[in-house]
Amino acid sequence: MRVPAIVRAALLLAALLAVSLAPADRASGQETVGIAAVVNNEAISIPDLVARIDIAIVASRLQASDDLRRRLAPQVLRSLIDERLKVQEAARLGVAVSEAEMANARRSVEQRNGIPAGSLNEFLSGQGLDADSVTDQLRAEILWSKLVRGRLGTAVSVGEGEIDEALARLEANRGRPEYRVAEIFLAIESSEQEDEVRAAATSLYEQLTAGANFGQIASQFSQSATAAVGGDIGWVLEGELPSEIEAVLAQMEPGTISPPVRVFDGYYIVALIDRRTVLSDAAAAGPDREAIRQEIGQRRLEMLARRYMRDLHRSAFISVRI
């Protein structure tokens, strides 16, 4: 029997989350009971949070349980907060999403999940999921992509000298290990988040070792720009990743997944897809300069996007009520 969303919200409040009920908002005359967080002048309700937890669990093919919901709720709430900040920033800058862009995004979801064209809402209803929440998530992803590329893209120019330096490093590293890696990154914005982020990372790792799909979990939970491509970083040279991750990768076999790794700004779970030696199979013409340009640019853009998100957090009023 499907449990209505409002009942799931009540159960989540009563059984899984330590809720601090806020007093009535005297200025507006509205009760704030049932609000999970306030982001600037917008509220995220408990039903909003429950709907997004449902989506994350189904999309990632996780084994739902009360304990999993409890442990993932803070991480999902932070994702919702980030989403509101992105949408608010887009509105401030006059960035919008067209109907065509939304239609393409919905079709992409249908194709990835083997859903007949035009039947996404019917599929979501059959899974007990809120179609409006899925639409909101897709719209926020498109807006953020347009914001990042529109505002930061011009700052990501890769000169010929940088490509030459990258090629020189490749040649200098000929024969050394190179890793094909995918990532799930959970950020820690303050020391108070340490325990909840670690718990979320541990829960995701447990689900992964039980057979959950890495790419799907990365798409739903990772706070890295690579979430859009299932966490796939691509090929990286030994020494290009944080030392904590390098140490773990050196001990891994292709096809395996690491436990959560603490780095300075959060936790990573990494999947080692493959390993090879640098330039061992390079074509006679040498490495592709354009591919190197794109790789350098993508990493720089990701770094700038993280900084952009941190700045939005620092300048926002955020009140978590649960």
Side-chain angles (χ1 to χ4, degrees), residues 44 48-49 52 76-85:
I44 298 172
D48 290 337
L49 175 58
R52 190 56 58 86
V76 174
L77 180 57
R78 282 214 306 281
S79 295
L80 271 170
I81 290 170
D82 286 354
E83 186 176 295
R84 292 298 171 91
L85 289 172

Side-chain angles (χ1 to χ4, degrees), residues 40-260:
N40 292 319
N41 62 344
E42 293 186 36
I44 298 172
S45 71
I46 293 293
D48 290 337
L49 175 58
V50 173
R52 190 56 58 86
I53 292 173
D54 288 345
I55 292 167
I57 288 175
V58 171
S60 304
R61 292 174 169 80
L62 301 176
Q63 296 299 314
S65 69
D66 286 350
D67 182 62
L68 179 67
R69 286 173 172 275
R70 177 184 60 80
R71 295 170 75 178
L72 292 182
Q75 183 65 33
V76 174
L77 180 57
R78 282 214 306 281
S79 295
L80 271 170
I81 290 170
D82 286 354
E83 186 176 295
R84 292 298 171 91
L85 289 172
K86 293 170 182 178
V87 172
Q88 290 170 5
E89 177 73 352
R92 184 182 74 84
L93 296 172
V95 177
V97 177
S98 69
E99 289 300 321
E101 288 171 323
M102 283 302 304
N104 287 337
R106 292 170 65 85
R107 184 60 193 132
S108 178
V109 172
E110 291 169 343
Q111 290 172 340
R112 289 198 305 268
N113 291 276
I115 303 169
S119 60
L120 178 59
N121 282 2
E122 182 181 349
F123 169 80
L124 294 172
S125 177
Q127 296 290 323
L129 301 179
D130 181 12
D132 288 341
S133 188
V134 172
T135 298
D136 289 344
Q137 187 176 18
L138 291 174
R139 180 176 288 108
E141 289 172 359
I142 297 169
L143 285 171
W144 185 241
S145 177
K146 294 176 76 170
L147 274 173
V148 168
R149 296 195 176 278
R151 295 205 72 196
L152 307 177
T154 55
V156 184
S157 60
V158 180
E160 295 301 317
E162 291 179 275
I163 298 175
D164 290 338
E165 290 176 6
L167 289 171
R169 285 196 302 273
L170 280 172
E171 187 59 42
N173 285 285
R174 182 183 290 272
R176 294 182 62 194
E178 188 176 26
Y179 304 106
R180 177 75 183 277
V181 179
E183 65 178 356
I184 296 170
F185 174 67
L186 305 183
I188 295 178
E189 302 289 344
S190 66
S191 58
E192 290 80 9
Q193 297 175 347
E194 178 74 36
D195 291 344
E196 68 184 42
V197 175
R198 182 174 60 249
T202 299
S203 291
L204 294 179
Y205 174 68
E206 289 170 353
Q207 294 285 327
L208 288 165
T209 56
N213 183 276
F214 192 99
Q216 290 162 337
I217 289 184
S219 296
Q220 284 295 316
F221 293 100
S222 181
Q223 293 171 274
S224 168
T226 58
V229 289
D232 189 0
I233 299 175
W235 288 99
V236 293
L237 284 168
E238 186 179 54
E240 289 186 334
L241 295 173
S243 58
E244 299 89 345
I245 296 176
E246 292 276 354
V248 171
L249 285 173
Q251 305 300 317
M252 293 173 64
E253 294 296 327
T256 59
I257 298 168
S258 78

Side-chain angles (χ1 to χ4, degrees), residues 264-276:
F264 77 97
D265 57 349
Y267 281 89
Y268 279 93
I269 301 171
V270 294
L272 179 58
I273 301 170
D274 201 0
R275 179 189 284 116
R276 68 186 182 188

